[in-house]
Structures are given as structure tokens and as C-alpha cells.
Amino acid sequence: MCYAEALKIDLRNIAEEESSYSCELGDEFFNSFAGADVKGGAMHCDVSVRKRRERFEIRLGIAGSVKVLCDRCLEEMVQPVSGEETLFALLGSETADDGETIVVGEREGVLDLTWFVYEMVILAIPISHSHAAGECNPEMESRLEELEKHGGGTGGTLRQDPRWSGLDALKDEGRKFQ
């Protein structure tokens, strides 16, 4: 099933028992978000919806991997991602989201989970992501090693900003009075 349809849940047709859906998210899903840091991926998404009186409990689960840029060499890499989230929704007079409960307009009755799933994937990506040792771009690795050997590219010695020298002098003055 296409992710666009699988992630649209018609809440009006949910029975009292639990309803479950699943879909596969690929490059098409990730590329549909303009300016995204994620370059593609392969993700399995499970959705279960349970009606509890007037409110719906929606459980989302994701597992798979995304393509992101390595922080060290800036080459594309595969980053494993997984996570679970629970949302609450109800049918109301007009669509709204107060941060805790999503209100879906009764006329439409359809909750589109696309953005929620995308946000979930983005938040599950670690802040820092880099290739395993030895897997980075060899040219970039050699340049980084060269910079480290030469003190950040300043010929082996790091020059200190003169403003810091002035602050160090003030700090030394303060120690005299203690």
C-alpha cells in the first residue's frame, strides 16, 4: 500500500476494537519533504488505532534506516532509526491540535499521520552521526588528520586572539586580591 493512503486514517470507520495498519516508507516518502536533512531511507511503520469512548489512541512504531550526511566526512551514510509514539485524537467541530490531543473535523473525519511519522523519524535520528572507524571518505580523513597535525592549519601553533590575553590579565589581577 502506498504510504500516502496508509497514513490517512478515517476515524469515523474505526470500530471499538483495535485496528492495525502498516506500510513501508522509502525514498519517495523522505523526498516529499522539501529541504530535508534526510536524503532517503527504508522504514517500516506500524499504526494501531483503538477507540476509547470519544477519544482515539493511536500508536505509531517505526524501524529502519535513513540516509544522512556524515558529520565527519560529509558523505552519505545509513543511520539506523527506531521509535514509538502515542497520539490521542477525537472528532470535533473543526480541526485543531493543542499539543496533547488532535481534533479532527467530523465532516472530514480523516487524520493524516504523514507529518507525525516524519517528525518521529527526524527526532529519532541521533544528534551526531558519523561513519564507523575507517569508513569515512579517505581523502577527507587525510585532510582532517593533516589539520590536526598542524594545529588547525596555522602552521603548528595556535595563535591566541589578543582579546583573550587581556581577559587573562584581568583574571590574574583578580587572583592577587583573593
Side-chain angles (χ1 to χ4, degrees), residues 26-27 30-31 36-43 65-70 75-81 125 129:
D27 292 344
F30 295 105
N31 293 336
D37 291 336
V38 175
K39 307 301 178 199
M43 190 75 50
S65 61
V66 292
K67 297 174 198 167
V68 293
L69 296 182
C70 173
E75 292 287 325
E76 196 173 272
M77 64 171 281
V78 175
Q79 177 71 54
V81 174
I125 298 172
H129 30 85

Side-chain angles (χ1 to χ4, degrees), residues 92-120:
S93 58
E94 57 184 65
T95 302
D97 183 358
D98 69 3
E100 290 191 22
T101 302
I102 304 157
V103 180
V104 178
E106 285 182 25
R107 287 182 117 183
E108 185 180 324
V110 176
L111 175 61
D112 187 352
L113 296 172
T114 305
W115 180 253
F116 295 102
V117 170
Y118 178 74
E119 254 186 1
M120 200 173 140

Side-chain angles (χ1 to χ4, degrees), residues 7-172:
L7 293 177
K8 290 182 181 176
I9 309 300
D10 188 348
L11 297 177
R12 295 171 299 184
N13 294 329
I14 300 295
E16 290 294 327
E17 69 274 353
E18 189 171 328
S19 299
S20 297
Y21 312 90
S22 67
C23 64
E24 301 300 319
L25 308 174
D27 292 344
E28 176 188 0
F29 174 78
F30 295 105
N31 293 336
S32 67
F33 297 94
D37 291 336
V38 175
K39 307 301 178 199
M43 190 75 50
H44 178 79
C45 179
D46 289 315
V47 179
S48 95
V49 183
R50 182 177 295 169
K51 186 175 183 180
R52 298 190 181 260
R53 296 183 190 167
E54 295 89 36
R55 200 162 101 161
F56 299 89
E57 179 182 319
I58 303 151
R59 293 180 184 257
L60 301 172
I62 56 166
S65 61
V66 292
K67 297 174 198 167
V68 293
L69 296 182
C70 173
D71 291 337
R72 188 158 170 81
C73 71
L74 303 178
E75 292 287 325
E76 196 173 272
M77 64 171 281
V78 175
Q79 177 71 54
V81 174
S82 64
E84 293 181 357
E85 184 75 37
T86 302
L87 305 171
F88 297 97
L90 54 87
L91 293 169
S93 58
E94 57 184 65
T95 302
D97 183 358
D98 69 3
E100 290 191 22
T101 302
I102 304 157
V103 180
V104 178
E106 285 182 25
R107 287 182 117 183
E108 185 180 324
V110 176
L111 175 61
D112 187 352
L113 296 172
T114 305
W115 180 253
F116 295 102
V117 170
Y118 178 74
E119 254 186 1
M120 200 173 140
V121 170
I122 295 301
L123 292 173
I125 298 172
I127 291 172
S128 174
H129 30 85
S130 59
H131 287 106
E135 291 184 18
C136 277
N137 177 319
E139 182 181 341
M140 185 63 82
E141 279 287 324
S142 67
R143 286 181 179 221
L144 288 170
E145 287 172 13
E146 189 176 312
L147 282 172
E148 288 172 3
K149 284 181 195 173
H150 297 291
T154 60
T157 59
L158 291 175
R159 290 180 280 158
Q160 186 175 16
D161 186 322
R163 293 173 289 188
W164 291 114
S165 299
L167 288 173
D168 284 340
L170 287 173
K171 192 164 64 174
D172 292 339

Side-chain angles (χ1 to χ4, degrees), residues 168-178:
D168 284 340
L170 287 173
K171 192 164 64 174
D172 292 339
E173 282 290 318
R175 286 190 192 124
K176 290 179 186 177
F177 295 109
Q178 290 179 354

